[in-house]
Amino acid sequence: MKLHDLTFEKFIDEHEIEKAISKVSAQLNKDLKDTRPVFLTVLNGAFLFSAELVKRFKGACELSFIKVASYDGLTQREDISTVMGAEPNLKARTVVIVEDIVDTGNTIEAIIAILEKEGVKQIKIASLFYKPEAYQKTYPVDYIGLEITNDFIVGFGLDYKGLGRNLNHIYKLTSTQDMTNLVLFGPPGAGKGTQAEILKRNYDLIHISTGDVFRYNIKNQTSLGMTAKSYIDKGMLVPDGVTIDMLRAEVEKNPEAKGFIFDGFPRTKAQAKALAELLNSMGTEVKAMIALEVDDEVLVERLLERGKSSGRADDANEEVIRNRIKVYYAETAILKEYYQAEDKYYGINGVGSISEITDRLSTVIDQL
Ligand code: AMP
């Protein structure tokens, strides 16, 4: 089944949803029948679930609605803004936040902050779906219909870019097992950029170099560029939040990609986790991290040589170069262990002619 550009497959049958709703309703009736709760429905996705819960609730209750902007296509944004306030007066009331899905927990957190300001008596959370692997907060989700894997789902009120809410079953994004997502790894000057340019043509992949994107933004004096520049000039890493948001935006610009070559990303564990989450939400994953291994002194020599023509300030100064290599060992090299633990790490000798190194890389990619 196709919605916009993406293909979805059936995941949860409507009978299972029905059972989950009955279970949650029974618990709500047992715990809250005499508390005259306000069911606070989180629009738009929770409208169907909420209607079913309210129909089954045996005590007195009131309704309220809140709309928050949180999803950007496939991924949940960090910044949440309330679009519509809650009413009636919630002071000293028992409020049940009715959610279709609790994912990272960012939406729940934003709503709880609003409710706490209103002075409510107690907050309960009822969610039809809950993704334990994605949840990053500590508020207990009191009533859960079904726990699900970290897949992107649509149906029964949930949408992908506006479509799919009217589907009676739940569908998940079809996993695109054939996507070739590679992390090209290695210290600065290892030849990642050069090799990525060749591999992207040979394998028809999208090459994302975070360094290049930063440099483009610096050249065009965007606010992202301004933020990044102060770090880059010193050979330091740009903060994770900024880098991750940028990477996500680059990936989402290419919904039809057969795969990506990530060059210069991830550089920290937080970035590696964010990448896994992003690809997972698209039904795919990192296939391999391929590292180009090159001796430090060779790197310094190469970068100084490149600095003569690249126009890059961070290539022109030996001290900055050595700091970049130091940062690599201090903050980035640990990712080798991260991908080794997933059996995805491949080390390649990065010294030799360009075509020799391409051959070594292709041997690995062809086996994946
Ligand atoms: P590169 O072109 O990959 O050598 O990157 C140049 C500079 O951009 C680095 O020294 C960092 O300051 C910044 N940068 C590039 N990618 C990242 C990343 N994934 N995380 C943080 N900073 C980055």
Side-chain angles (χ1 to χ4, degrees):
M1 194 246 332
K2 208 147 168 143
L3 296 176
H4 297 292
D5 52 325
L6 297 180
T7 310
F8 293 82
E9 63 194 25
K10 191 170 162 193
F11 184 36
I12 300 168
D13 187 87
E14 58 184 322
H15 295 299
E16 232 184 299
I17 301 172
E18 171 73 27
K19 266 195 265 169
I21 294 171
S22 297
K23 179 184 76 179
V24 172
S25 295
Q27 290 167 339
L28 287 173
N29 274 314
K30 180 166 160 276
D31 296 351
L32 304 177
K33 201 162 106 270
D34 301 319
T35 64
R36 204 169 144 191
V38 178
F39 288 106
L40 178 65
T41 305
V42 184
L43 294 174
N44 293 328
F47 78 105
L48 280 180
F49 176 48
S50 167
E52 295 301 326
L53 288 186
V54 171
K55 272 157 64 183
R56 290 165 171 79
F57 193 70
K58 303 280 190 271
C61 65
E62 287 178 78
L63 306 185
S64 188
F65 300 88
I66 190 165
K67 184 160 180 164
V68 290
S70 62
Y71 270 89
D72 240 352
L74 290 178
T75 46
Q76 197 167 27
R77 293 191 340 222
E78 296 269 315
D79 56 316
I80 309 257
S81 57
T82 314
V83 183
M84 195 173 94
E87 38 169 347
N89 190 351
L90 300 176
K91 198 170 164 52
R93 301 296 300 271
T94 292
V95 177
V96 183
I97 302 173
V98 182
E99 265 284 28
D100 47 357
I101 185 160
V102 174
D103 192 305
T104 60
N106 288 338
T107 310
I108 286 291
E109 183 172 61
I111 295 173
I112 288 177
I114 294 168
L115 294 181
E116 279 173 351
K117 265 200 226 139
E118 298 276 327
V120 301
K121 182 173 161 203
Q122 64 168 337
I123 300 170
K124 296 284 179 188
I125 303 171
S127 185
L128 181 53
F129 299 108
Y130 170 64
K131 290 183 178 176
E133 284 167 47
Y135 194 56
Q136 288 165 11
K137 310 292 174 193
T138 48
Y139 316 104
V141 183
D142 306 279
Y143 306 100
I144 295 170
L146 289 164
E147 285 197 4
I148 61 166
T149 45
N150 197 7
D151 287 289
F152 184 79
I153 60 169
V154 294
F156 204 81
L158 290 96
D159 74 313
Y160 168 56
K161 290 188 183 167
L163 295 182
R165 296 192 196 277
N166 56 328
L167 299 164
N168 293 339
H169 309 296
I170 293 292
Y171 295 78
K172 71 173 178 183
L173 199 59
T174 304
S175 64
T176 34
Q177 296 300 346
D178 52 346
M179 242 178 134
T180 308
N181 299 311
L182 308 173
V183 172
L184 208 49
F185 196 61
K192 300 186 294 286
T194 307
Q195 293 298 331
E197 279 304 309
I198 302 170
L199 295 176
K200 88 169 186 194
R201 282 198 302 273
N202 292 355
Y203 292 92
D204 195 14
L205 304 173
I206 302 287
H207 171 209
I208 300 179
S209 156
T210 40
D212 284 351
V213 182
F214 281 134
R215 281 184 288 277
Y216 175 85
N217 278 278
I218 291 170
K219 203 171 123 213
N220 289 290
Q221 303 191 330
T222 66
S223 66
L224 172 68
M226 297 297 135
T227 311
K229 190 173 184 327
S230 55
Y231 298 94
I232 293 178
D233 284 351
K234 295 189 205 99
M236 289 159 62
L237 294 187
V238 178
D240 280 339
V242 177
T243 311
I244 290 167
D245 284 351
M246 179 187 87
L247 188 277
R248 190 183 292 143
E250 290 298 312
V251 168
E252 288 180 353
K253 276 183 200 162
N254 296 284
E256 305 286 338
K258 290 188 178 159
F260 293 93
I261 301 174
F262 298 103
D263 160 11
F265 189 97
R267 266 174 152 102
T268 64
K269 213 164 164 182
Q271 292 181 11
K273 286 186 176 164
L275 181 62
E277 228 175 76
L278 173 65
L279 293 178
N280 194 298
S281 73
M282 295 163 56
T284 183
E285 61 178 4
V286 167
K287 282 274 142 55
M289 168 194 254
I290 313 181
L292 294 170
E293 293 162 349
V294 181
D295 204 62
D296 288 2
E297 291 313 308
V298 178
L299 296 173
V300 176
E301 233 173 81
R302 280 189 191 175
L303 289 170
L304 283 171
E305 192 55 38
R306 183 170 83 182
K308 290 180 190 162
S309 57
S310 70
R312 280 179 58 170
D314 61 347
D315 283 350
N317 178 322
E318 181 163 342
E319 205 183 317
V320 173
I321 290 175
R322 291 203 182 268
N323 192 44
R324 285 159 63 201
I325 296 173
K326 201 174 97 201
V327 167
Y328 172 78
Y329 287 109
E331 300 184 41
T332 305
I334 48 155
L335 289 181
K336 177 174 175 177
E337 282 167 36
Y338 179 94
Y339 286 102
Q340 262 172 341
E342 297 187 354
D343 232 358
K344 289 179 179 170
Y345 180 86
Y346 301 85
I348 295 284
N349 176 5
V351 183
S353 71
I354 292 178
S355 66
E356 273 168 354
I357 298 167
T358 308
D359 286 347
R360 290 175 203 149
L361 288 165
S362 305
T363 307
V364 171
I365 298 169
D366 292 340
Q367 284 169 6
L368 293 174

